[in-house]
Amino acid sequence: GSFGYFPTYALGSAYDAQYVHAMRADGVDLDAACAAGDLAPIRSWLSDKIWQWGRAKDAPELIRNACGAPFDATYYCDYLDGKFRSLYNL
């Protein structure tokens, strides 16, 4: 039963890194929205690009449509690299 949790969260984090890149490319200022506590622009993007489809589309199709390209782990690797370089002053 609990096997499914780690892969689900890991994939979700990897997908999110690509979504963040696409949001920024679409003009969503994530940093300002989060700093202001106004997540409406993020919710709007997710609603338009992801949530409206529910289970009608699978993950590869959602990513391709929302981001304009298939899933690419490079976005997640870049996120992790930046995160750990900052945390550990690398």
Side-chain angles (χ1 to χ4, degrees):
S2 63
F3 172 75
Y5 288 110
F6 176 77
T8 300
Y9 288 121
L11 279 172
S13 292
Y15 294 162
D16 180 61
Q18 192 161 347
Y19 291 153
V20 165
H21 177 79
M23 278 187 220
R24 288 190 169 126
D26 286 345
V28 177
D29 187 345
L30 284 118
D31 297 325
C34 291
D38 177 15
L39 303 181
I42 298 167
R43 282 193 308 268
S44 177
W45 189 92
L46 288 168
S47 179
D48 291 344
K49 305 284 187 168
I50 306 296
W51 296 339
Q52 73 166 317
W53 302 108
R55 292 186 52 119
K57 295 183 179 187
D58 61 8
E61 189 176 9
L62 284 171
I63 292 168
R64 193 170 35 259
N65 290 343
C67 302
F71 174 69
D72 182 350
T74 303
Y75 295 102
Y76 189 51
C77 292
D78 290 346
Y79 159 74
L80 291 174
D81 183 66
K83 177 180 179 174
F84 289 109
R85 283 184 185 279
S86 174
L87 283 172
Y88 298 109
N89 297 316
L90 300 173

